[in-house]
Amino acid sequence: MHRLLKRQLKKLRLDADRPPDDKAWRQFLKMVDGAYRQADQDRYTLERSLSISSEEMQSLYQRLKTSTEARMHAVAEAFPDLLFFQDEDGRFLDVLAAHPEMLYVPREQIIGHTMEDIFSAEYSRQFRRLLQKTLETGKLQQLEYHMPDANGEDRLYEARVVPMGVQEDGKRALLTVVRDITVARREETWAGLVSKAVSAAREGIIILDQDKRVISANPAIENICRRALEEVLNKPVSVLSEPDAVLADAAFWREVDEKGSWHGEIQTGCSGGTQAYLWLSIDRVQLEAQGAPHYVMLLNDISELHASRKKLEKLATQDPLTGLPNRVLFQDRLEQALVRSARNKTTGALLFLDLDRFKIINDSLGHQVGDLLLQAVAERLSHHIREMDTLARMGGDEFTLILEDLRHPGDIVKVLEKLLQALRKVFKIGAHELRTTASIGVSIFPRDGQDADELIKHADTAMYSAKDSGGDQYRLFTEKLTLSAYSYFDTEQGLHNALERREFYLLYQPQYELATGSLIGVEALLRWHRPGKGMIGPDEFIPMAEMIGLIEPLGAWVREAVCQQIVAWRDAGTVPPRVAVNISSRELVNPGLNAQVANLLARYRVPAELLEFEITESAIIKRGDVACRNLLRLTEMGIELAIDDFGTGHSSLVNLKRFPLTSIKIDRSFIRDVLLDPNDEAIVRATIVLAKSFGMQTIAEGVENVQQLDFLRRAGCEVVQGFLCGKPMSPKGISDLMQAGTPFGTC
Ligand code: C2E
Ligand code: MG
Ligand code: MG
């Protein structure tokens, strides 16, 4: 041992001119200390055997002490730890701290004191035990303990005690390093919890480096992205969004960098080939101002939500019976079509289709059959349209169709013909063979309307026009049609009040006998004086009055007014020989008509022979038996019957033979062209001859000139009525004519 030390000393002295190698000297001194202890020698004997003076040994110790202290101070300043140097009795030899305020007690009150002097009994006990254990084992021991700081706040400390391997005043020295680990532990705990939470989260969490590479991902992403972690880790994040590739888009990442975050839905291709919808939130995270950014991505699988949303959307926009788009979706599609049409300067059409007679089928065969028929109609229509066209069901038996990008005006007509044709074919619904047709109204965009509502309204108007014309046809909307639809509405409103407001009055047109030129009768013609609108002719309101159920009270009013007029003429002594009154075909089926007329005649004491009722040929043919019975009773009463507008109803006189008719009025359309059109001439001649053979009188309507009059005279016509002989006039005008008594000159 001594030899080894001697050699070591020699070597160290040889290097004496170089800066002292503290490590080598420290090792030497450690060996010296070991030798003291082992051999239990005193210092003097050892120094002598090593041939080193006590002074040199002392200076060596001193030098090392100084250099060690300097190092210790440096360490203490660099680290946030407290360094306590103690001897084996627990007495503090020194204490080092980067800042004095780290010590609870001033430094001077620590050095030279024991732990018991400074700490409470409880702490002292713990520290002493730790010291003891370190001395016993000769190895590092550590302890964690809580202690309140100067502000009374609980802190957590870690004390690490090591034997220093040197003695101070013959006592072993120990170093205790005390570190405040409150924050570190808190962070450690927090980090542990966060890591646990991240691992257990159902949400996929991915962390990217600045190159958008996946540097960390939690297990949830395996489920969400349907990819194994290994397939994702250290890979570019774009692998997640394939084939949508949004995450590979540089512009997308520029947006994330600019805004700092991004939220939205992405679609990912899964390894199984199925598509997944993910809700993705990305946050750009920069821990240090100059550091590289990281990206934290949160992923939620919303595939199921997406599917149910799609389902709901479908339910909200689909007609459940036919599976076609419903009114809501149709409106939306129409608006889109209008935008496209405006942008591309193309023409489109909106078709409004309503089944004819559907209500009858539904009411007679039941709703189930009705529903099946609607489904079959929807399917049949679908077969005849292009994929880009939108066929929708608006409800009931109403369908709409949007046709876009019509190249030629003829295209629309072709489609319309095709659709009408398709619907005419028989529908086999269960045991039933059903026939239905459709009325289709069309508005063309952009020509017929600025917006969806206007186009729908116009197509609807056109559809009603098609329906009014008998159905199984189409009508295109025109400005004229809208106007007439409007005035139709307006007239209907006015008619409802006209009777009460006494806005109706009668004019009378004279009828002359050709043979004598004498006035043999007048025809009562109804007029409506609409305040603000002037005189309105019967052609404009009689059809509507018939339709809205107003013709019966109106007809009754006319007959009463005629009777009152006859009374007035009688009083003036100017009653014409016969007064013709027009009767609507609708009135003919009224079983109360006869009683009403009889009552009237009795009330005003008007002889039945004075009256002639004019009815149209189509009226009596259409109305059949009830009309026939009514007419018979009227003639039994003594009222004469004339067939009005003869020749327009395609019936032959033979057919009319069974009715008790007295006169035939040849429609003015034949008289107008009688000198120009040989057909008309032939019809007029034949009618006169046939009427004569049946014993009926012929009255020619609408005689406007002398040539027509001459022709009629030569052809054997008996009575004429027309502007040439006299326009419809006031009762006073008739009185004057009667009073003058002069025959109609030209006749
Ligand atoms: P209508 O019974 O054939 O009446 C004759 C129509 O011919 C009248 O038209 C008359 O003004 C017109 N007229 C007469 N002479 C000439 C002529 O020389 N040239 C031309 N262009 N026209 C002539 P108005 O008064 O407009 O009546 C039209 C139709 O309205 C009548 O045709 C009749 O069917 C119906 N009507 C008139 N008054 C009544 C009524 O009180 N009840 C019912 N149910 N229908 C009526
Ligand atoms: Mg008439
Ligand atoms: Mg007529």
Side-chain angles (χ1 to χ4, degrees), residues 437-604:
T437 51
S439 302
I440 309 179
V442 185
S443 56
I444 304 287
F445 54 85
R447 195 192 70 186
D448 287 344
Q450 297 295 312
D451 55 29
D453 285 346
E454 202 178 354
L455 283 168
I456 294 170
K457 200 173 76 191
H458 290 174
D460 191 49
T461 309
M463 187 277 288
Y464 274 106
S465 161
K467 200 153 271 252
D468 281 350
S469 310
D472 193 17
Q473 55 193 293
Y474 60 83
R475 280 277 188 285
L476 267 68
F477 173 81
T478 57
E479 197 58 28
K480 217 172 116 203
L481 192 63
T482 328
L483 284 177
S484 75
Y486 175 74
S487 73
Y488 201 74
F489 169 78
D490 190 47
T491 310
E492 186 185 332
Q493 301 298 307
L495 263 185
H496 278 295
N497 304 316
L499 256 184
E500 242 175 69
R501 296 187 185 155
R502 299 167 175 273
E503 291 171 357
F504 292 109
Y505 63 97
L506 292 170
L507 292 183
Y508 297 88
Q509 188 173 27
Q511 297 172 333
Y512 290 93
E513 193 178 42
L514 269 174
T516 57
S518 54
L519 193 154
I520 56 119
V522 293
E523 180 181 1
L525 293 165
L526 186 59
R527 297 288 179 268
W528 176 19
H529 176 78
R530 268 197 94 177
K533 299 239 159 88
M535 197 276 287
I536 299 176
D539 284 335
E540 271 184 64
F541 63 84
I542 293 283
M544 181 174 292
E546 285 176 337
M547 212 164 71
I548 63 176
L550 212 79
I551 195 66
E552 283 177 10
L554 189 56
W557 179 87
V558 169
R559 289 185 289 278
E560 182 151 13
V562 165
C563 290
Q564 285 168 348
Q565 189 55 54
I566 290 172
V567 172
W569 277 325
R570 194 164 49 202
D571 292 347
T574 54
V575 189
R578 183 176 71 190
V579 183
V581 180
N582 293 286
I583 307 281
S584 156
S585 67
R586 298 233 163 190
E587 291 178 275
L588 280 185
V589 287
N590 176 6
L593 181 68
N594 298 300
Q596 188 201 72
V597 172
N599 179 282
L600 209 57
L601 296 179
R603 204 143 41 97
Y604 289 96

Side-chain angles (χ1 to χ4, degrees), residues 523-525 581-582 614 644-645 665 701 721:
E523 180 181 1
L525 293 165
V581 180
N582 293 286
E614 290 188 9
D644 205 351
D645 305 341
K665 298 186 78 174
E701 288 182 285
Q721 176 184 346

Side-chain angles (χ1 to χ4, degrees), residues 3-17:
R3 256 206 319 269
L4 187 71
L5 280 173
K6 264 185 172 167
R7 220 182 307 139
Q8 196 73 19
L9 184 61
K10 196 174 164 192
K11 208 167 153 232
L12 287 168
R13 278 179 177 154
L14 279 176
D15 291 339
D17 47 340

